[in-house]
Amino acid sequence: MGAEEAQVIIKRVLAEGRRNLLEPEAEAICLAYGIPTPPSKVATNVADTITYAEELGYPIVLKVVSPDIVHKTEVGGVIVGLSSSDAVESAYTRIMENVRTSKPNAQVTGVIVQKMAPPSTEVIVGSINDPQFGHTIVFGLGGVFVEILKDVAFRIAPLEERDARDMILEIKGYSALTGYRGAPPADQGAIVNLIMCASRLVTENPQIDQMDLNPTIVYEHGALVVDARMLLSTRNLDQASN
Ligand code: ADP
Ligand code: MG
């Protein structure tokens, strides 16, 4: 379950000579592995963008989709919190202008029109391909915890469920998940489930060199991956085509 669909996408991306999956491609693979992402659609013009926003329901997030752009925020390619068709229309124009200014040569596929997830505790789940140990799963709290404090836990894939539980308990910022200052506790079962799905995803798709589900927003009930990045390696291809 999941692998067949993921391999269709991965092989197409490699055939097109790309190594970075577009966010919609990475999110389709996530969904195939039972990793929840907000409902979304890709639009290639402003009229469709508005239609899709109306269909999905507000608030909406618009993000640029481009094979030449990996970090969308850096080029002004993400606008969140849109609550009307007028706001969507002007955000579409602004994103196209921002991208044209900061990356004039980028080929733009379109925009991802995504339902905005309510704010809550942010975590990251990821994977790196260690030359010695192979696929290794990374878990940590989002934002400064990962970027500055390097407060992350690692386990070599494939994981057992108790590995996933241990990773959560191991990070220094664990108490941020247990509910503090009146905030509701984070659904640790949902995080365990997501870590296990991520482990299966990279194990069954060995071409994935790096994966970054960042941010993953965790609620009292459930969790949502609102950005997925996957980088393919050109190694391991023989293994995968068997
Ligand atoms: P990138 O990492 O490429 O800059 P993201 O897709 O992570 O772009 O978007 C940047 C930020 O916008 C995220 O870290 C998150 O805070 C917010 N964001 C993106 N998509 C959503 C969404 N669907 N719901 C809520 N917030 C979102
Ligand atoms: Mg991101």
Side-chain angles (χ1 to χ4, degrees):
M1 202 188 72
E4 221 170 293
E5 209 174 326
Q7 280 301 307
V8 169
I9 296 171
I10 288 170
K11 284 177 178 159
R12 189 185 62 222
V13 170
L14 288 170
E16 288 175 13
R18 289 189 281 135
R19 287 186 67 206
N20 272 300
L21 271 66
L22 300 172
E23 180 182 340
E25 293 166 337
E27 288 177 357
I29 293 179
C30 284
L31 286 174
Y33 275 88
I35 297 174
T37 71
S40 70
K41 268 184 134 172
V42 177
T44 54
N45 58 59
V46 69
D48 286 350
T49 304
I50 294 166
T51 305
Y52 297 158
E54 297 277 330
E55 278 171 23
L56 292 166
Y58 298 106
I60 281 289
V61 179
L62 290 192
K63 307 189 238 185
V64 66
V65 179
S66 163
D68 304 312
I69 296 167
V70 176
H71 300 284
K72 302 176 292 286
T73 303
E74 277 176 15
V75 298
V78 178
I79 302 182
V80 304
L82 304 168
S83 9
S84 69
S85 58
D86 283 351
V88 167
E89 182 167 2
S90 64
Y92 180 94
T93 310
R94 230 176 329 142
I95 286 177
M96 292 305 158
E97 280 170 7
N98 291 345
V99 171
R100 214 174 301 132
T101 308
S102 50
K103 259 200 155 218
N105 296 323
Q107 179 206 325
V108 175
T109 312
V111 293
I112 179 164
V113 187
Q114 192 170 61
K115 185 119 180 154
M116 180 148 173
S120 188
T121 310
E122 294 191 1
V123 303
I124 71 147
V125 175
S127 163
I128 53 168
N129 201 354
D130 183 89
Q132 194 176 353
F133 301 111
H135 286 301
T136 304
I137 301 293
V138 189
F139 169 75
L141 296 174
V144 293
F145 290 97
V146 168
E147 282 150 30
I148 298 166
L149 305 174
K150 313 280 181 219
D151 181 18
V152 287
F154 295 93
R155 287 294 183 286
I156 298 165
L159 272 65
E160 304 277 345
E161 208 164 288
R162 62 177 289 185
D163 297 321
R165 289 187 193 286
D166 288 347
M167 287 175 91
I168 297 170
L169 294 169
E170 196 175 297
I171 57 167
K172 294 188 198 76
Y174 171 72
S175 61
L177 299 173
T178 58
Y180 62 110
R181 293 195 190 154
D187 186 342
Q188 292 182 41
I191 303 175
V192 168
N193 189 32
L194 209 140
I195 291 173
M196 294 308 292
C197 290
S199 167
R200 208 159 60 76
L201 194 163
V202 295
T203 305
E204 293 179 1
N205 297 281
Q207 305 104 320
I208 298 176
D209 216 26
Q210 284 173 40
M211 179 173 79
D212 210 2
L213 310 180
N214 180 18
T216 294
I217 307 184
V218 191
Y219 300 96
E220 195 170 3
H221 301 287
L224 270 178
V225 169
V226 305
D227 182 26
R229 189 147 41 231
M230 294 178 193
L231 175 70
L232 304 179
S233 124
T234 43
R235 299 187 314 259
N236 292 328
L237 288 183
D238 300 339
Q239 232 174 300
S241 58
N242 287 341

